[in-house]
Amino acid sequence: EAFKRGRLIEADEAYGEAIQCVEDQGGLGRLGRPRSISGQEHEEQLLADCLSSRAQCILDMAQGKGILPDGTPFSSQFEEKEHFEYFKRQALKQAEECAEKACLVWCDERSLFRLGLARMLTAQTARVEALWVMKEDNNEIMKDAGRCFLKALKSKPNAQTEKMLQEVKDWLAQRDVFTLYPEYV
């Protein structure tokens, strides 16, 4: 409910609490991946849904969406553009981690889309000129985003994912990269 009202901080906290209630805190499961306490299918899906929803919430915050508890826009809390850019990089990393974990627990098109979006936004906002990431590494991040979108489309085709995939391809083409796969493949 908080997410629908744009109260992203409140929603993020609620998803975090739900994850703590459902996730096995004792470590990785027998397959080396995160898992729910019971390991039962419905609980695995619930954990993945909470992780994926949290990733979307964080992605929205990274894009400056939502409102603060006092009703002001989320992005208004940052006095300097640099402060928001720093927050954005940190939020994208956290969103990627949540979406990746969701994919490890129970992979579906929403989690794949959110993982692709986190990686696409990371590549688009990387500060190559500041050596935050190497140009080639940035291209690889964007290729991986494209592969996530491809997998999401195979799972459940939709226009939004197709649009993001095209955006990835266009971004790469501007850099003379015409494949989503590493050069050695």
Side-chain angles (χ1 to χ4, degrees), residues 19 22 33 35-36 41-55 98-99 101-108 110-111 114:
I19 290 165
V22 180
R33 63 172 181 77
R35 58 169 289 199
S36 66
E41 186 175 310
H42 72 279
E43 199 170 283
E44 294 282 289
Q45 288 176 330
L46 177 63
L47 175 58
D49 189 47
C50 289
L51 287 161
S52 184
S53 295
R54 187 174 198 192
C98 284
K101 235 175 151 177
C103 287
L104 288 170
V105 173
W106 191 272
C107 195
D108 66 8
R110 288 179 304 144
S111 296
R114 291 166 179 163

Side-chain angles (χ1 to χ4, degrees), residues 149-160:
F149 291 139
L150 274 177
K151 290 176 189 172
L153 283 169
K154 286 181 182 177
S155 177
K156 186 175 181 182
N158 70 65
Q160 184 181 20

Side-chain angles (χ1 to χ4, degrees), residues 62-88:
Q63 295 175 77
K65 298 177 182 175
I67 57 172
L68 295 171
D70 66 2
T72 59
F74 179 81
S75 59
S76 69
Q77 68 185 303
F78 301 97
E79 293 179 16
E80 304 286 331
K81 184 178 188 290
E82 296 81 30
H83 296 165
F84 179 70
E85 291 304 316
Y86 179 80
F87 166 80
K88 185 176 189 174

